[in-house]
Every structure is written in C-alpha cells, then in structure tokens.
Amino acid sequence: MRLITYQSETGPRIAAAGDGGYVDLNQADSALPTAMKTLLQMGVEGLKQAQAAITDGSPLDQQPSKLMAPVPDPQKVICIGLNYADHAAESGSPIPEEPVIFNKFPTAVRGHGDAIVLPKLSDQVDYEAELVVIIGKQGRHIPREQAFAHVAGYACGHDVSGRDWQLGKPGGQWLMGKSFDSFAPLGPELVTCDEVGDPGQLGIQLRLNGETMQDSNTKQLIFPVDQLVAYISGVCTLKPGDVIFTGTPPGVGFARQPKVLLKPGDVVEVEIERIGVLRNETVAE
Ligand code: MN
C-alpha cells in the first residue's frame, strides 16, 4: 500500500493509492482516522482496514494537489551518521563500529514539494539522500529478529545539513546543524513493507538540478534496518510514526572538490527504488 498525508480544505487527511487514484481513507470508511499516526497506532488491523477501504471506496474527485510528509508530526526523528563505508571515508571519518546516532527536531519535517529554506544563519547547506524507516508498532528492547514487525514502511528522506553548524560549533553537537526548519523533507508516500520487500536491496540516488550527485544501493549500509531498530529501541521506546533516517551514501557536496553547496532555486530529488521520488526546491530565508 502507498499512503499519503495531504492538505485538504479542512486540514491534513490521509489517503491510499488505488487503481483510479488516491482514496481518502476516512471518507471511504468512517472507522478509519484522518491522521497517519492514529492509523499506525491501529497496527496491522488498521492497515488491513485501509486496504479494504481502497477496494470499496472511490477515488477523490479532486486528487490531492498538496502533499505533506506521510507522518507530518513524528514524535522522534532519529538519524544515523556515517552508515555507508564510502561516505565515512569521504568525510575523513573511520568506519564506525557501532551506529552513530543523532536527531533532528520534528519541526524540521516537510513534505514532497515543500520548500527547503536556506537559513540566513548558515552559508554551507548540503544535501543527503536517505532511506527513511517509519515505525508502525511501539516497542522497547526489540530483538533484531522481530524488528521488521515494528516497521510500517519506508519513505525517501533528505537529511539537509548546515555543515557550518554541524561541524563548526562548540561541543561537537550535530543537532542544530541538522534541525533548521525544513531540513527534513520526507515522502512523497509511506510505502508499506510488503511493497518494498528487502530494504537492503534498494537503489538510492540524489539529483541536484537534474545531475546525479549520489548513486548507491542500500546493500552498502553498514548497519541494516533491523539492526538499527534493535539498537535504538534498547535506549528508547519506538512509537508509531517515529522515523529513522538511515544515513547517506557518498557524493555529498562538502566532500567534493570544489565543494557544492545548495543555493536558492536548486531542485533536489531523492529517488529510491520501489519507493518513489521526493522533490524539493530551495529558497532563501
Ligand atoms: Mn545523514
């Protein structure tokens, strides 16, 4: 199933792709909610009901023109650093022996088509294409062999990074450089696990103004999805709608000679096999 959150006249609502277009889930079945996090909280049963609603319901007369992030309001945005060996090398960092974990504030989340706002306070904004895991079922201390039962699906993610703030501020914290408003585009859809298959076999690319800057495969991940879910849940409870950015392959702008930095009017596309294309344009603050 391919699920979206879209902006309607009355606010955010959720829909699923059917043969004739998107079907609004709550319109098709009033027992279904209008928010993605609430749907995910219903567990496998909620997704089954949503599947039935696509079959029984009719597509929206007016197809959504404005998408939001599939989960516009995750409680947690967890990110993995240096999770591709060749990206660690280009960053001048050793290959990590344990996952490198940081986070973004949820206020950074945006959807497909939303602007990435280049902040007045940063002049070194860089791009990073990433596979994003969306948690379905709550869990703590999730064993690796049960990890996929806690994953609802996947989306394309863009870990926009202010390198001057990530690397040049006291204390070595990445949080602020990763958390400017609009620095976490996500989408366009939540694609459920059954449609994606093995998340460790997906081509992943980033195009900047049509030119391919990153081109890899998630089989290069040092720490795969199930290991990350197990590792993170050892520390904190993973909740429905939480998202995990799994790290970026090589080819980022600040590691290039000369450096490539985002400038107003750039169009950035993150494409992941079987998941989709997330497209955002940059604007100056
Ligand atoms: Mn990243």
Side-chain angles (χ1 to χ4, degrees):
M1 211 169 9
R2 309 183 79 92
L3 298 159
I4 56 165
T5 298
Y6 72 101
Q7 187 70 58
S8 78
E9 280 171 15
T10 57
R13 294 181 65 87
I14 55 175
D19 290 338
Y22 287 108
V23 177
D24 182 287
L25 293 177
N26 171 261
Q27 222 173 64
D29 176 356
S30 60
L32 285 168
T34 56
M36 191 70 80
K37 239 167 29 182
T38 320
L39 176 69
L40 296 178
Q41 280 159 2
M42 293 170 71
V44 178
E45 207 43 52
L47 293 181
K48 269 191 203 156
Q49 279 183 50
Q51 188 64 58
I54 304 174
T55 316
D56 303 341
S58 30
L60 286 157
D61 291 337
Q62 263 208 316
Q63 286 291 300
S65 56
K66 174 73 192 77
L67 295 191
M68 302 173 70
V71 183
D73 54 350
Q75 189 196 54
K76 291 192 281 301
V77 180
I78 302 163
C79 306
I80 316 303
L82 308 171
N83 202 17
Y84 287 75
D86 31 13
H87 172 61
E90 75 174 352
S91 308
S93 306
I95 293 172
E97 287 170 11
E98 256 186 83
V100 175
I101 314 273
F102 62 99
N103 68 308
K104 290 174 182 276
F105 289 127
T107 38
V109 170
R110 293 294 184 276
H112 176 73
D114 282 337
I116 294 167
V117 180
L118 303 176
K120 284 181 203 160
L121 292 179
S122 173
D123 57 9
Q124 290 180 35
V125 181
D126 200 354
Y127 54 81
E128 296 190 353
E130 308 207 1
L131 171 71
V132 170
V133 177
I134 301 175
I135 297 295
K137 181 179 159 197
Q138 176 165 320
R140 175 88 203 277
H141 295 303
I142 300 167
R144 186 169 174 182
E145 59 275 14
Q146 284 170 31
F148 287 116
H150 292 261
V151 175
Y154 303 92
C156 302
H158 185 174
D159 174 13
V160 186
S161 305
R163 300 296 186 200
D164 39 1
W165 280 74
Q166 179 192 354
L167 304 169
K169 297 291 178 189
Q173 278 289 332
W174 293 7
L175 175 65
M176 298 308 269
K178 299 284 193 173
S179 284
F180 282 97
D181 281 2
S182 81
F183 272 23
L186 183 62
E189 302 170 306
L190 185 170
V191 185
T192 51
C193 295
D194 53 313
E195 290 217 16
V196 174
D198 182 356
Q201 294 286 338
L202 303 171
I204 176 166
Q205 283 143 15
L206 183 140
R207 289 184 294 274
L208 175 60
N209 303 322
E211 187 185 342
T212 301
M213 307 298 275
Q214 295 182 284
D215 189 4
S216 186
N217 191 290
T218 55
K219 67 182 170 213
Q220 304 291 341
L221 285 173
I222 299 169
F223 303 104
V225 168
D226 52 342
Q227 195 177 352
L228 293 173
V229 168
Y231 184 88
I232 297 163
S233 74
V235 173
C236 57
T237 303
L238 289 174
K239 298 258 197 178
D242 284 352
V243 296
I244 304 171
F245 282 66
T246 57
T248 203
V252 298
F254 88 113
R256 288 171 177 267
Q257 282 305 335
K259 284 184 184 169
V260 175
L261 299 167
L262 295 179
K263 54 186 191 319
D266 280 343
V267 175
V268 190
E269 289 169 306
V270 174
E271 177 159 13
I272 303 179
E273 192 180 346
R274 294 209 289 280
I275 297 179
V277 181
L278 169 70
R279 184 178 189 277
N280 299 88
E281 193 167 336
T282 57
V283 295
E285 184 178 8

